[in-house]
PDB file of all heavy atoms in Angstrom:
ATOM      1  N   ARG A  42     325.747 316.631 232.997  1.00 92.00           N
ATOM      2  CA  ARG A  42     324.328 316.848 233.266  1.00 92.00           C
ATOM      3  C   ARG A  42     324.207 318.037 234.209  1.00 92.00           C
ATOM      4  O   ARG A  42     324.791 318.027 235.292  1.00 92.00           O
ATOM      5  CB  ARG A  42     323.750 315.595 233.893  1.00 92.00           C
ATOM      6  CG  ARG A  42     322.266 315.577 234.007  1.00 92.00           C
ATOM      7  CD  ARG A  42     321.857 314.160 234.340  1.00 92.00           C
ATOM      8  NE  ARG A  42     320.474 314.077 234.674  1.00 92.00           N
ATOM      9  CZ  ARG A  42     319.713 313.057 234.355  1.00 92.00           C
ATOM     10  NH1 ARG A  42     320.225 312.034 233.700  1.00 92.00           N
ATOM     11  NH2 ARG A  42     318.462 313.037 234.702  1.00 92.00           N
ATOM     12  N   ILE A  43     323.489 319.047 233.778  1.00 92.00           N
ATOM     13  CA  ILE A  43     323.296 320.266 234.559  1.00 92.00           C
ATOM     14  C   ILE A  43     321.938 320.174 235.246  1.00 92.00           C
ATOM     15  O   ILE A  43     320.899 320.221 234.592  1.00 92.00           O
ATOM     16  CB  ILE A  43     323.333 321.529 233.661  1.00 92.00           C
ATOM     17  CG1 ILE A  43     324.599 321.594 232.824  1.00 92.00           C
ATOM     18  CG2 ILE A  43     323.094 322.789 234.484  1.00 92.00           C
ATOM     19  CD1 ILE A  43     325.852 321.877 233.581  1.00 92.00           C
ATOM     20  N   GLY A  44     321.952 320.024 236.567  1.00 86.00           N
ATOM     21  CA  GLY A  44     320.708 319.958 237.326  1.00 86.00           C
ATOM     22  C   GLY A  44     320.115 321.344 237.497  1.00 86.00           C
ATOM     23  O   GLY A  44     320.807 322.258 237.933  1.00 86.00           O
ATOM     24  N   HIS A  45     318.884 321.516 237.140  1.00 82.00           N
ATOM     25  CA  HIS A  45     318.074 322.737 237.234  1.00 82.00           C
ATOM     26  C   HIS A  45     318.203 323.572 235.962  1.00 82.00           C
ATOM     27  O   HIS A  45     317.268 323.635 235.207  1.00 82.00           O
ATOM     28  CB  HIS A  45     318.376 323.559 238.483  1.00 82.00           C
ATOM     29  CG  HIS A  45     318.022 322.838 239.740  1.00 82.00           C
ATOM     30  ND1 HIS A  45     316.736 322.791 240.222  1.00 82.00           N
ATOM     31  CD2 HIS A  45     318.772 322.101 240.589  1.00 82.00           C
ATOM     32  CE1 HIS A  45     316.715 322.065 241.320  1.00 82.00           C
ATOM     33  NE2 HIS A  45     317.929 321.625 241.558  1.00 82.00           N
ATOM     34  N   GLY A  46     319.315 324.246 235.725  1.00 84.00           N
ATOM     35  CA  GLY A  46     319.484 325.013 234.491  1.00 84.00           C
ATOM     36  C   GLY A  46     318.449 326.096 234.269  1.00 84.00           C
ATOM     37  O   GLY A  46     318.177 326.454 233.131  1.00 84.00           O
ATOM     38  N   LEU A  47     317.888 326.615 235.335  1.00 85.00           N
ATOM     39  CA  LEU A  47     316.843 327.635 235.207  1.00 85.00           C
ATOM     40  C   LEU A  47     317.364 328.978 234.718  1.00 85.00           C
ATOM     41  O   LEU A  47     316.730 329.643 233.916  1.00 85.00           O
ATOM     42  CB  LEU A  47     316.180 327.890 236.571  1.00 85.00           C
ATOM     43  CG  LEU A  47     315.232 326.861 237.097  1.00 85.00           C
ATOM     44  CD1 LEU A  47     314.781 327.252 238.503  1.00 85.00           C
ATOM     45  CD2 LEU A  47     314.045 326.703 236.189  1.00 85.00           C
ATOM     46  N   HIS A  48     318.485 329.379 235.259  1.00 85.00           N
ATOM     47  CA  HIS A  48     318.970 330.743 235.048  1.00 85.00           C
ATOM     48  C   HIS A  48     320.346 330.727 234.376  1.00 85.00           C
ATOM     49  O   HIS A  48     321.218 329.963 234.755  1.00 85.00           O
ATOM     50  CB  HIS A  48     319.063 331.480 236.380  1.00 85.00           C
ATOM     51  CG  HIS A  48     317.785 331.462 237.153  1.00 85.00           C
ATOM     52  ND1 HIS A  48     316.703 332.255 236.804  1.00 85.00           N
ATOM     53  CD2 HIS A  48     317.401 330.749 238.236  1.00 85.00           C
ATOM     54  CE1 HIS A  48     315.717 332.023 237.650  1.00 85.00           C
ATOM     55  NE2 HIS A  48     316.110 331.118 238.529  1.00 85.00           N
ATOM     56  N   GLY A  49     320.515 331.578 233.383  1.00 84.00           N
ATOM     57  CA  GLY A  49     321.823 331.786 232.782  1.00 84.00           C
ATOM     58  C   GLY A  49     322.235 330.801 231.707  1.00 84.00           C
ATOM     59  O   GLY A  49     323.390 330.807 231.296  1.00 84.00           O
ATOM     60  N   GLY A  50     321.317 329.984 231.231  1.00 85.00           N
ATOM     61  CA  GLY A  50     321.702 328.987 230.241  1.00 85.00           C
ATOM     62  C   GLY A  50     321.347 329.310 228.814  1.00 85.00           C
ATOM     63  O   GLY A  50     321.640 328.529 227.921  1.00 85.00           O
ATOM     64  N   LEU A  51     320.736 330.449 228.584  1.00 88.00           N
ATOM     65  CA  LEU A  51     320.210 330.706 227.246  1.00 88.00           C
ATOM     66  C   LEU A  51     320.928 331.787 226.452  1.00 88.00           C
ATOM     67  O   LEU A  51     320.524 332.101 225.338  1.00 88.00           O
ATOM     68  CB  LEU A  51     318.713 331.034 227.337  1.00 88.00           C
ATOM     69  CG  LEU A  51     317.854 329.823 227.730  1.00 88.00           C
ATOM     70  CD1 LEU A  51     316.473 330.259 228.164  1.00 88.00           C
ATOM     71  CD2 LEU A  51     317.791 328.825 226.595  1.00 88.00           C
ATOM     72  N   ASP A  52     322.019 332.336 227.002  1.00 92.00           N
ATOM     73  CA  ASP A  52     322.778 333.295 226.197  1.00 92.00           C
ATOM     74  C   ASP A  52     323.581 332.519 225.149  1.00 92.00           C
ATOM     75  O   ASP A  52     323.792 331.319 225.270  1.00 92.00           O
ATOM     76  CB  ASP A  52     323.690 334.151 227.085  1.00 92.00           C
ATOM     77  CG  ASP A  52     324.747 333.321 227.768  1.00 92.00           C
ATOM     78  OD1 ASP A  52     324.453 332.751 228.843  1.00 92.00           O
ATOM     79  OD2 ASP A  52     325.864 333.219 227.224  1.00 92.00           O
ATOM     80  N   ASP A  53     324.004 333.200 224.112  1.00 94.00           N
ATOM     81  CA  ASP A  53     324.657 332.529 222.982  1.00 94.00           C
ATOM     82  C   ASP A  53     325.890 331.733 223.388  1.00 94.00           C
ATOM     83  O   ASP A  53     326.067 330.598 222.945  1.00 94.00           O
ATOM     84  CB  ASP A  53     325.034 333.548 221.897  1.00 94.00           C
ATOM     85  CG  ASP A  53     323.817 334.112 221.180  1.00 94.00           C
ATOM     86  OD1 ASP A  53     322.729 333.487 221.242  1.00 94.00           O
ATOM     87  OD2 ASP A  53     323.943 335.188 220.566  1.00 94.00           O
ATOM     88  N   GLU A  54     326.759 332.310 224.218  1.00 95.00           N
ATOM     89  CA  GLU A  54     327.981 331.598 224.604  1.00 95.00           C
ATOM     90  C   GLU A  54     327.669 330.328 225.391  1.00 95.00           C
ATOM     91  O   GLU A  54     328.247 329.273 225.130  1.00 95.00           O
ATOM     92  CB  GLU A  54     328.908 332.491 225.426  1.00 95.00           C
ATOM     93  CG  GLU A  54     330.196 331.767 225.804  1.00 95.00           C
ATOM     94  CD  GLU A  54     331.115 332.569 226.712  1.00 95.00           C
ATOM     95  OE1 GLU A  54     330.814 333.744 227.024  1.00 95.00           O
ATOM     96  OE2 GLU A  54     332.154 332.007 227.101  1.00 95.00           O
TER      97      GLU A  54
END
Side-chain angles (χ1 to χ4, degrees):
R42 190 167 171 144
I43 306 290
H45 296 279
L47 285 175
H48 306 285
L51 290 165
D52 64 275
D53 290 341
E54 181 184 356

